[in-house]
C-alpha cells in the first residue's frame, strides 16, 4: 500500500492522444459521415424510402414495397445519426462556443445540425433534439423525446441565425468538403434549406411557413447548378470515403430499378431513362409490391431476375452524393409561386429545375451531357401548366431526387405526388 506512487497520474496519460483536437478535422469527419455509410443507406434510405417511392425494388427485402415495416431496416439511420453525426455536430458547437467563435464556422455548424435533424424528424417524427448528443457535456444520456413541430420551429430559427453568422471568409480550409470555403454558397445552402423546411410545414402551420419562405427568398437561395451541395467520393481508402450506393449494389444485386419510375420516364421519352437505367437491359423495371413467390407465379425466373439494374455508371463507389440540389430548390420555389398565383415565376423555376435535373448527371459521367435542344424539346412536350402545376412539379421533384430517396419520400408524403398506385 505504501509502494511507489509518485507521478502515478502521469503514467496514466497517453502522450500520443490529443485532449484539444482542432475543430477542422471534426468538421471534415462530420461532412463525410453525414453523407452516410452503406449500412444506413442500404437499410433505411434504399430498402425503405427507395421502395416506398417505387424508385427501386428489392424482392429479398419486400417490406418497404408492400407498406409494411422491418424495424431493423427502418431504425438504421436513426441509430447511426445518434451514435455519430448528432454527437459530432453538438461537440463541434460546444467547442466553438468555448473558443468564442460566433462567426462563419459557428453558422455553418448550426445550419448543418438542422440539415442532420431534418432527415431524422421527417423519417421518425418526435425524437430527441434539444438535449440530444450532449451526454458528454451534461451527463444526460437519456434525452427526452421532443415534439416534431417544436423541433421544426427551432431548426428554422437555427438556420436563420446561422446564415446571419456566416461572414466573407472561413477558416475551415480543406476541411470544408461541401463548398471548399465558399461562404456565399454556404449562405445559399442555409437559405435553401430554410425554404425547403418552411414549405414542408405549410399544411400544418401556414403562418410560420410563409414567414420562413419569405425570409429564405429574401436572404438568397441557390440560383444555379453550381450551388448544389454534394459530397465528392473516392473509391477508398475506407468505405466511409466511398459512395454508399456503389457498395450497396455489389452487396444487394437484386436491387433493381422500379417499374414505376422506369415507365414514367419511358412514357415521356425522358432522356434520363438511359442515364438512370442500365442501357444494356431494356426489359423494364421491377414491378412494385411483389415477392419472389408472386413473380414465380407470373413465370418470372427469380433466380435470374430480368429486371433492369440501375445504370452501373451512376452507382459506382467513386461517384458523388447529392445532398441538396439546385433542381430541388427550383422545384420548391416553383411550387411556392404556383400556390401563390405567380405562374410566370413558377414556370421560370419549373423550367430551371427540369434543366438542372437533366444536366446534373454530367457530374457522374461527361457522356451524360444532354444537348440544350433536347432539353428544350422535352420542356415543350412537358410544359408548365398553371392548372396542374402541383402534380407537374411533384413528379419532377420525385425524378430529380433519384438516389435521394428520403427527399423523394418526404415530398411525396407532403404533396401526394407523384400519384403512386398501390400494388395489386
Amino acid at each position: 500500500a505504501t509502494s511507489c506512487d509518485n507521478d502515478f497520474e502521469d503514467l496514466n496519460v497517453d502522450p500520443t492522444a490529443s485532449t484539444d483536437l482542432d475543430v477542422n478535422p471534426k468538421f471534415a469527419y462530420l461532412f463525410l459521415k453525414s453523407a452516410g455509410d452503406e449500412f444506413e443507406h442500404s437499410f433505411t434510405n434504399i430498402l425503405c424510402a427507395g421502395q416506398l417511392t417505387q424508385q427501386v425494388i428489392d424482392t429479398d427485402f419486400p417490406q418497404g414495397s408492400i407498406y409494411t415495416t422491418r424495424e431493423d431496416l427502418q431504425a438504421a439511420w436513426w441509430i447511426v445519426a445518434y451514435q455519430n453525426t448528432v454527437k459530432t455536430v453538438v461537440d463541434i458547437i460546444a467547442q466553438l462556443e468555448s473558443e468564442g467563435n460566433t462567426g462563419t464556422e459557428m453558422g455553418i455548424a448550426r445550419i448543418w445540425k438542422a440539415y442532420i435533424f431534418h432527415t431524422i424528424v421527417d423519417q421518425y417524427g418526435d425524437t430527441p433534439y434539444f438535449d440530444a448528443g450532449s451526454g458528454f457535456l451534461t451527463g444526460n444520456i437519456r434525452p427526452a423525446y421532443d415534439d416534431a413541430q417544436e423541433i421544426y420551429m427551432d431548426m428554422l430559427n437555427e438556420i436563420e441565425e446561422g446564415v446571419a453568422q456566416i461572414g466573407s471568409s472561413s477558416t475551415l480550409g480543406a476541411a470544408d468538403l461541401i463548398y471548399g470555403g465558399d461562404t456565399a454558397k454556404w449562405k445559399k445552402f442555409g437559405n435553401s434549406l430554410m425554404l425547403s423546411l418552411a414549405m414542408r410545414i405549410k399544411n400544418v402551420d401556414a403562418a410560420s411557413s410563409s414567414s420562413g419562405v419569405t425570409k429564405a427568398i429574401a436572404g438568397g437561395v441557390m440560383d444555379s447548378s453550381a450551388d448544389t451541395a454534394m459530397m465528392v467520393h473516392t473509391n477508398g481508402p475506407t468505405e466511409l470515403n466511398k459512395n454508399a450506393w456503389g457498395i450497396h449494389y455489389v452487396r444487394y444485386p437484386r436491387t433493381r430499378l422500379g417499374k414505376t419510375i422506369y415507365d414514367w420516364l419511358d412514357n415521356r421519352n425522358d432522356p434520363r431513362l438511359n442515364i438512370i437505367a442500365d442501357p444494356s437491359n431494356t426489359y423494364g423495371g421491377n414491378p412494385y409490391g411483389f415477392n419472389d413467390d408472386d413473380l414465380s407465379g407470373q413465370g418470372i425466373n427469380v433466380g435470374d431476375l430480368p429486371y433492369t439494374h440501375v445504370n452501373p455508371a451512376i452507382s459506382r463507389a467513386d461517384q458523388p452524393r447529392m445532398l441538396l440540389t439546385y433542381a430541388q430548390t427550383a422545384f420548391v420555389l416553383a411550387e411556392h409561386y404556383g400556390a401563390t398565383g405567380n405562374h410566370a415565376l413558377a414556370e421560370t423555376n419549373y423550367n430551371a429545375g427540369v434543366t438542372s435535373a437533366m444536366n446534373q448527371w454530367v457530374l457522374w459521367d461527361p457522356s451524360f451531357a444532354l444537348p440544350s435542344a433536347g432539353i428544350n424539346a422535352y420542356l415543350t412536350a412537358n410544359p408548365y401548366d398553371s392548372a396542374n402545376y402541383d402534380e407537374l412539379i411533384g413528379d419532377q421533384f420525385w425524378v430529380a431526387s433519384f438516389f435521394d430517396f428520403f427527399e423523394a419520400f418526404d415530398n411525396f408524403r407532403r404533396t401526394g405526388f407523384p400519384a403512386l398506385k398501390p400494388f395489386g
Side-chain angles (χ1 to χ4, degrees):
T2 59
S3 61
C4 178
D5 64 357
N6 291 334
D7 301 322
F8 181 78
E9 293 82 0
D10 293 338
L11 294 175
N12 281 275
V13 175
D14 183 354
T16 67
S18 172
T19 59
D20 187 22
L21 184 64
D22 185 80
V23 77
N24 282 23
K26 293 182 181 181
F27 264 109
Y29 171 79
L30 174 67
F31 294 140
L32 196 56
K33 189 64 179 177
S34 297
D37 280 327
E38 180 271 326
F39 166 70
E40 64 267 28
H41 274 295
S42 285
F43 280 12
T44 312
N45 198 10
I46 300 175
L47 296 177
C48 291
Q51 295 199 93
L52 284 167
T53 55
Q54 302 177 20
Q55 294 193 335
V56 291
I57 299 295
D58 191 314
T59 52
D60 280 340
F61 301 89
Q63 292 81 12
S65 73
I66 57 177
Y67 293 141
T68 59
T69 299
R70 264 189 60 170
E71 291 186 359
D72 57 333
L73 303 182
Q74 188 67 43
W77 195 274
W78 194 91
I79 292 170
V80 172
Y82 281 103
Q83 289 180 343
N84 292 279
T85 53
V86 170
K87 288 198 299 185
T88 302
V89 75
V90 171
D91 173 46
I92 288 172
I93 290 172
Q95 180 170 339
L96 291 172
E97 286 178 343
S98 69
E99 295 172 355
N101 187 321
T102 59
T104 296
E105 296 70 38
M106 178 63 85
I108 291 173
R110 294 174 74 179
I111 292 168
W112 202 257
K113 181 182 177 184
Y115 175 78
I116 291 170
F117 267 102
H118 96 273
T119 298
I120 298 173
V121 178
D122 288 344
Q123 301 306 308
Y124 303 104
D126 295 354
T127 195
Y129 173 76
F130 291 102
D131 294 325
S134 60
F136 66 103
L137 295 171
T138 66
N140 181 5
I141 61 173
R142 295 183 181 277
Y145 277 66
D146 297 301
D147 179 76
Q149 186 170 357
E150 292 182 11
I151 296 172
Y152 251 83
M153 293 303 100
D154 191 72
M155 288 193 298
L156 289 170
N157 181 69
E158 285 292 296
I159 295 170
E160 180 182 2
E161 293 186 359
V163 169
Q165 289 179 293
I166 296 177
S168 60
S169 63
S170 165
T171 61
L172 294 182
D176 182 355
L177 301 181
I178 309 300
Y179 286 125
D182 191 325
T183 57
K185 289 184 178 180
W186 269 112
K187 291 179 181 179
K188 291 181 183 180
F189 173 85
N191 287 321
S192 299
L193 182 60
M194 185 193 304
L195 172 71
S196 177
L197 299 191
M199 284 293 287
R200 197 153 286 172
I201 63 171
K202 74 174 188 176
N203 295 329
V204 295
D205 190 339
S208 296
S209 173
S210 178
S211 174
V213 169
T214 299
K215 291 176 181 177
I217 294 174
V221 297
M222 295 180 183
D223 53 23
S224 78
S225 297
D227 296 327
T228 287
M230 65 180 180
M231 175 60 64
V232 177
H233 287 285
T234 57
N235 193 14
T238 70
E239 286 200 352
L240 183 58
N241 299 98
K242 300 178 181 180
N243 189 314
W245 313 127
I247 306 171
H248 172 89
Y249 287 117
V250 172
R251 293 178 177 171
Y252 302 89
R254 286 167 67 83
T255 299
R256 305 299 170 92
L257 193 67
K259 176 178 172 59
T260 303
I261 194 169
Y262 186 102
D263 290 351
W264 191 98
L265 294 166
D266 191 33
N267 292 339
R268 291 162 178 77
N269 294 315
D270 194 307
R272 288 170 289 187
L273 178 62
N274 289 327
I275 296 174
I276 293 174
D278 185 346
S280 68
N281 184 333
T282 58
Y283 189 90
N286 199 337
Y288 172 76
F290 297 99
N291 58 29
D292 283 354
D293 289 340
D294 299 321
L295 295 175
S296 295
Q298 300 176 40
I300 299 296
N301 179 4
V302 296
D304 185 22
L305 283 175
Y307 303 114
T308 305
H309 282 93
V310 172
N311 192 340
I314 65 172
S315 58
R316 298 197 315 263
D318 61 350
Q319 294 290 27
R321 159 111 162 95
M322 299 292 108
L323 302 171
L324 180 62
T325 70
Y326 168 59
Q328 291 170 327
T329 301
F331 288 133
V332 174
L333 282 172
E335 180 193 346
H336 163 67
Y337 287 124
T340 55
N342 191 338
H343 292 291
L345 274 179
E347 181 176 10
T348 297
N349 281 281
Y350 170 82
N351 291 342
V354 171
T355 301
S356 180
M358 289 191 169
N359 283 331
Q360 72 184 16
W361 292 107
V362 74
L363 296 170
W364 278 258
D365 193 304
S367 68
F368 292 150
L370 297 173
S372 297
I375 297 175
N376 291 335
Y378 178 87
L379 286 169
T380 299
N382 301 273
Y384 178 82
D385 178 5
S386 61
N388 197 35
Y389 74 89
D390 49 353
E391 182 174 5
L392 283 172
I393 295 167
D395 284 5
Q396 290 291 346
F397 187 101
W398 173 69
V399 176
S401 300
F402 187 77
F403 275 160
D404 191 355
F405 303 125
F406 284 144
E407 282 300 296
F409 174 58
D410 294 334
N411 202 63
F412 156 72
R413 190 172 56 177
R414 178 179 66 84
T415 66
F417 298 112
L420 303 177
K421 296 180 180 179
F423 67 97

